[in-house]
Amino acid sequence: MTCFEDRVQDAYLTSRMAFLFAALCAFAVANVYMMQPLLNQIAATFVEKTGKMGIVITATQLGYALGLLLLVPLGDRLNRKYLVVAMLMASVVFLVLAAMTTSLYGLSGALVLVGLMAVVVQIIVAFAAALAHPDKRGQTTGMVTSGIVLGILLARLISGVLTEWLDWRRTLLVSAGAMFIMAVIFLRAAPQDRKPRPAQTYRQLLFSVITLWRQIPELRSRGILAMLIFMNFSVLWSSLVFPLSQRPYNLSTAHIGLFGLAGIAGALAARRAGILADRGLGQRVTGAALVLLLLSWAAIFWGGTSLLALTVGIVMLDFAVQAVHVTSQTLIFARNPQATSRLVAAYMFFYSIGSACGALLATQLWSYYGWPGVCSLGAVLSALALLYWYRVDRNQCSAAVAG
């Protein structure tokens, strides 16, 4: 890399640009998570049982998984700046469509399209990682991921509050307006994407994702970890609205949304984990975070009767999940910085599968076994993630470094 190229990349990574990337991620990822506090109201609108509401979350995650496979790899082939703007504008259209639906299945279909466009977040993360200096790639990834974490938290809070004043349909329209504004700002302010692009067809680009999966052991093992930890994440947040809206709590959607703020520790974990990963401590961070994830479910279980215990458990879980997530991305980006979009597509596909399965299982278990069933599922998944890291991931990553 020439000195001139270094200066160009440093210019891209000013604090102002990093903030823009993080803010855009916050707004875009909100479309995936803002529906969770609204499930009770949606069920009432369509006169459906709460046990069926998992389809709403699963539909968004299904679209997200498809977008990871079909759209995110385009970030290595097309100009990422204009690709981001186009996807934001498409999100506006699909959010309006979702707000106009007249049935649960119509809403679910529209949310598949919303989830499809929400993968713009991963294109932004890959864009930032590609611009970052190698020695600061983890820190940069952590900074942008902090925006994603804040977006997830604020999505639940703001959607819960807006639904108290308006309703879930108007909440979707507010989100559509936010997407339009962010598209205009990003078009005017974001740096140009000057990276060299591979001379590959779209088909070759998609198949190269499979090639990367086969070649990079960290990508395979961290993909499995992503599936397990985000299944955990989804199990909690997809079911939390149900116990909080019933006795002994009887909280409103606005109050339930406030619980998202308990997970703000995840934003702190994201940046710190990236810095530690840059120092070669990624495996230690992962192991400690997975132990914390398992312990968090003990506190969450007691949250059925104690809001304090529930809050502590949420802080622990969000901190652990985001620490593993940022560490994983830092490890895989370091293996091939020229293919960040395809790497994140392969990695995040397993994240999306985990989130979708977690939502579906959690709502079903709540219907049959209540809060103890949900917490038992979370604890089992956490134990599996810890065991997989200890027996498989540590060895694969160590062998890759030694090789």
Side-chain angles (χ1 to χ4, degrees):
M1 182 180 290
T2 66
C3 293
F4 173 75
E5 288 172 331
D6 276 337
R7 288 195 297 270
V8 169
Q9 286 198 335
D10 288 342
Y12 289 171
L13 296 175
T14 63
S15 58
R16 180 181 178 184
M17 286 299 103
F19 177 79
L20 174 64
F21 276 54
L24 181 55
C25 283
F27 278 94
V29 79
N31 294 329
V32 180
Y33 294 95
M34 67 179 178
M35 305 303 295
Q36 290 173 351
L38 314 180
L39 296 181
N40 274 340
Q41 192 178 100
I42 294 171
T45 298
F46 297 126
V47 195
E48 298 282 1
K49 296 180 180 179
T50 55
K52 294 183 67 175
M53 289 303 100
I55 191 175
V56 173
I57 308 301
T58 301
T60 312
Q61 292 296 342
L62 175 62
Y64 202 87
L66 292 173
L68 289 168
L69 291 178
L70 302 177
L71 298 181
V72 173
L74 288 172
D76 287 335
R77 184 68 181 84
L78 304 178
N79 186 301
R80 279 184 258 215
K81 176 176 179 176
Y82 300 118
L83 179 60
V84 167
V85 172
M87 293 178 69
L88 291 175
M89 295 305 295
S91 294
V92 174
V93 175
F94 297 143
L95 284 165
V96 172
L97 178 63
M100 297 171 61
T101 55
T102 58
S103 71
L104 177 62
Y105 296 104
L107 174 63
S108 299
L111 289 176
V112 170
L113 299 175
V114 171
L116 189 72
M117 292 300 111
V119 297
V120 69
V121 171
Q122 303 308 325
I123 295 175
I124 296 167
V125 172
F127 193 4
L131 293 172
H133 189 280
D135 293 338
K136 296 183 177 180
R137 188 170 289 118
Q139 181 177 350
T140 302
T141 302
M143 186 179 301
V144 177
T145 302
S146 295
I148 297 176
V149 177
L150 291 174
I152 294 171
L153 304 179
L154 294 177
R156 300 187 184 102
L157 171 61
I158 294 173
S159 65
V161 172
L162 285 177
T163 307
E164 286 290 303
W165 296 340
L166 306 171
D167 59 28
W168 66 266
R169 296 184 188 275
R170 290 184 175 86
T171 299
L172 290 176
L173 294 176
V174 170
S175 184
M179 288 297 97
F180 180 81
I181 293 171
M182 291 305 299
V184 173
I185 294 174
F186 193 79
L187 180 63
R188 293 175 61 88
Q192 288 295 333
D193 184 6
R194 297 186 175 93
K195 71 172 183 63
R197 296 178 176 83
Q200 294 176 303
T201 65
Y202 178 61
R203 181 179 179 181
Q204 290 172 331
L205 199 67
L206 294 183
F207 276 103
S208 69
V209 175
I210 300 175
T211 301
L212 290 169
W213 174 263
R214 291 173 176 172
Q215 292 176 343
I216 302 177
E218 294 96 327
L219 181 56
R220 296 192 297 272
S221 61
R222 289 289 161 156
I224 300 299
L225 274 182
M227 182 177 67
L228 292 170
I229 65 171
F230 281 103
M231 191 180 293
N232 247 287
F233 192 82
S234 187
V235 164
L236 172 66
W237 289 106
S238 298
S239 59
L240 187 61
V241 63
F242 302 132
L244 291 180
S245 61
Q246 299 179 7
R247 292 181 179 179
Y249 302 127
N250 295 319
L251 299 181
S252 67
T253 55
H255 290 143
I256 293 172
L258 285 171
F259 272 84
L261 295 180
I264 201 165
L268 303 176
R271 187 173 184 276
R272 184 61 182 170
I275 294 173
L276 292 175
D278 285 335
R279 296 175 181 172
L281 300 175
Q283 288 297 337
R284 293 185 183 181
V285 171
T286 301
L290 289 174
V291 171
L292 184 66
L293 181 63
L294 179 59
L295 294 176
S296 72
W297 282 104
I300 292 169
F301 173 79
W302 291 111
T305 55
S306 169
L307 289 181
L308 177 60
L310 180 61
T311 303
V312 171
I314 291 173
V315 170
M316 294 168 65
L317 184 142
D318 275 14
F319 191 97
V321 167
Q322 297 307 325
V324 177
H325 181 45
V326 172
T327 301
S328 295
Q329 290 183 95
T330 303
L331 289 172
I332 64 174
F333 288 158
R335 291 301 305 272
N336 192 340
Q338 300 304 315
T340 51
S341 289
R342 284 166 287 169
L343 289 172
V344 80
Y347 168 77
M348 291 300 294
F349 175 76
F350 284 86
Y351 147 91
S352 189
I353 294 299
S355 294
C357 292
L360 198 59
L361 289 172
T363 52
Q364 290 298 317
L365 281 173
W366 167 259
S367 297
Y368 290 103
Y369 303 107
W371 194 237
V374 170
C375 294
S376 297
L377 174 62
V380 169
L381 292 171
S382 299
L384 286 174
L386 180 60
L387 181 63
Y388 182 83
W389 168 76
Y390 185 78
R391 296 295 299 271
V392 180
D393 179 75
R394 285 193 318 150
N395 296 329
Q396 285 196 355
C397 292
S398 297
V401 172

